[in-house]
Amino acid sequence: MKKKNPVFLLLLSLILPLTAAAQSVDEARQLAEDGNLNEAVTMLQAVTAADPKDHQAALLLADLLWNSGHDAEADDIYQELRKKGVRQATLALARIAMSRYDTDGATALLEAYRKSLRQGKRQVAEDESGDLEDRIDRIAEMLDRVQNIEVIDSVDVDAEDFFRQYPLSSAAGRLGGPEMLPEGFPSAPQTMVYVPESGNRMIWSAPDSDGNLRLMGSSALLGGEWEEPLPLGEDLGDGGDAAYPYLMPDGITLYYSNDGDASLGGYDIFLTRRGEDGFLQPANVGMPFNSPYNDYLLVIDEFTGAGWFATDRNRHPGKITIYTFIPQDLRINVSPDNPDLASLARLDNISLTQKEGADYAAVRQAIRDGHAMNTPADLTPDFLFALPGNRVYTSLEDFANPKAREAMKTYLEKEQKFNSILDRLSQLRRKYASGDRSQASVIRQIEDSLPSARAELASLRAAVIRLEPR
């Protein structure tokens, strides 16, 4: 019988443990992807205990710990790996510093990582930092204009269908899944649909020909039919997925989430407004609404005076945090010199955002009542008019100043006429698009009149606010 080559046996004895360790790392990664995080962590802890030199297992373990909110444990592992010269640990620490809004620390670590990629003039490894430098710059820029909001509550909910947990009043519309769409309308499993109180419009996300999510819209027709769905605008995609839309009652202001090039990381919340030719260039709403993680679905319920947005920045596996905040009429930013600036931007402690001695019981009660009641016809608000101090008037009787009440009557009359003009313009444009060119001159006349009509409405609205005492 032929004997085995002793060199072969030696190599085999070295390779088999390496192969087993690699298999364990792959199994742990698969467990984590399948949602079995605790099992994956336990397996990797066993692997790293048996072989402290298995840097790949240690890196994956630190990644899983960090992504599940075990910051101190993850940080210790990364720091130890960095001491051992593992460059991926330096990159991970740079990303962590960025997520903590330590832009100087993140920049220094990123430079150290890139330096480790070279030996003299020779590059020894590929740069895996991606757009990290750009994201650090965006965070530094946004830290100069962190909005000073009042967050009055937070709750963790299951990540799947988290939007169903928003306690909207009936006046704020409805949120739902693909089941709300008419048969045959395009959608995706994660599609969220928004329908305003009137029920005559719906907005949602659906995949385009490239598989990217795009915002779609459709309006109700007579007889219960719906218009052919159309994209809301190419600019809303910004190179990524656009989803989780919410249209304010003015029919002009749209909030939605996008994970394109202007994002801090993952989904960010954006704001756009409708113009004559569609929605305008969107703007990132900034911090604290957005973070280097996924931030979704900003909703403002003018009926209850509350707002909500959701995020996975707290890294609770399988959960998303929904924050309740008090919307502001005028944006006020936190001073860049405030020692709590980064903490307020991250929302580490929501009590820091609240005004001293403020009582939010009335808002909380309004949320509960607005969500629970099925508003009868005689309680349906005549209008929703926001004033400074988080006040929302719903009828003329709410006004204390008679002059403000009369000014509001004038504003409502002009607004109704303006909306009628917009409705007529929309009908004429549809006819024009279908081939009827007979009303082209009328369309141009109406379009030319819109800027002055909007300016008049803005002036009337300002007059109402000025006349009504705080």
Side-chain angles (χ1 to χ4, degrees), residues 53-324:
K53 294 182 180 181
D54 191 337
H55 297 159
Q56 292 307 310
L59 275 173
L60 181 57
L61 174 60
D63 290 346
L64 296 182
L65 290 170
W66 172 259
N67 290 329
S68 58
H70 296 83
D71 296 6
E73 296 174 64
D75 197 71
D76 287 344
I77 296 174
Y78 285 133
Q79 294 288 1
E80 187 62 29
L81 288 171
R82 187 188 179 200
K83 291 178 183 177
K84 296 177 179 179
V86 180
R87 62 176 63 92
Q88 294 96 326
T90 305
L91 179 58
L93 288 168
R95 291 193 173 112
I96 289 173
M98 178 203 66
S99 71
R100 291 170 173 163
Y101 302 162
D102 176 9
T103 54
D104 290 340
T107 299
L109 285 162
L110 179 58
E111 290 176 353
Y113 165 73
R114 287 177 171 170
K115 185 178 180 180
S116 73
L117 300 177
R118 306 191 68 84
Q119 289 181 357
K121 296 182 179 181
R122 186 169 62 92
Q123 184 159 332
V124 296
E126 184 180 354
D127 188 345
E128 299 176 354
S129 61
D131 64 346
L132 181 58
E133 185 173 7
D134 292 337
R135 292 170 63 192
I136 293 171
D137 291 342
R138 283 198 290 273
I139 285 175
E141 178 186 348
M142 287 191 184
L143 280 172
D144 288 334
R145 45 188 177 88
V146 176
Q147 189 169 350
N148 191 4
I149 65 172
E150 297 171 77
V151 180
I152 65 173
D153 201 4
S154 67
V155 60
D156 283 350
V157 301
D158 290 340
E160 186 176 357
D161 293 349
F162 69 92
F163 50 83
R164 300 184 192 273
Q165 305 303 315
Y166 279 47
L168 302 188
S169 70
S170 58
R174 294 180 291 132
L175 304 171
E179 74 280 353
M180 293 178 64
L181 295 172
E183 186 176 355
F185 274 27
S187 67
Q190 68 271 39
T191 289
M192 188 212 78
V193 182
Y194 170 69
V195 177
E197 181 187 23
S198 64
N200 61 4
R201 179 84 172 148
M202 58 173 58
I203 301 175
W204 71 100
S205 59
D208 62 13
S209 57
D210 296 324
N212 296 318
L213 291 179
R214 293 289 177 263
L215 295 184
M216 308 290 292
S218 178
S219 297
L221 301 172
L222 295 176
E225 299 296 321
W226 287 85
E227 286 183 336
E228 187 72 20
L230 294 172
L232 295 190
E234 290 300 321
D235 288 341
L236 306 186
D238 194 32
D241 290 325
Y244 306 106
Y246 178 75
L247 187 67
M248 292 291 291
D250 62 9
I252 295 173
T253 306
L254 174 69
Y255 292 99
Y256 71 101
S257 297
N258 178 258
D259 63 356
D261 296 336
S263 164
L264 290 177
Y267 278 105
D268 271 14
I269 300 168
F270 288 79
L271 163 69
T272 182
R273 289 186 172 87
R274 189 198 304 272
E276 280 79 22
D277 299 319
F279 285 98
L280 306 176
Q281 184 69 30
N284 190 307
V285 300
M287 300 173 181
F289 301 106
N290 289 325
S291 71
Y293 300 92
N294 290 302
D295 305 287
Y296 313 95
L297 187 58
L298 191 150
V299 170
I300 295 176
D301 187 339
E302 293 180 330
F303 186 70
T304 61
W308 297 269
F309 67 98
T311 179
D312 64 8
R313 70 184 68 182
N314 296 315
R315 290 167 288 130
H316 300 156
K319 299 290 183 179
I320 282 180
T321 303
I322 298 177
Y323 288 105
T324 306

Side-chain angles (χ1 to χ4, degrees), residues 375-386:
T375 308
D378 59 346
L379 292 180
T380 301
D382 299 326
F383 52 79
L384 296 171
F385 191 86

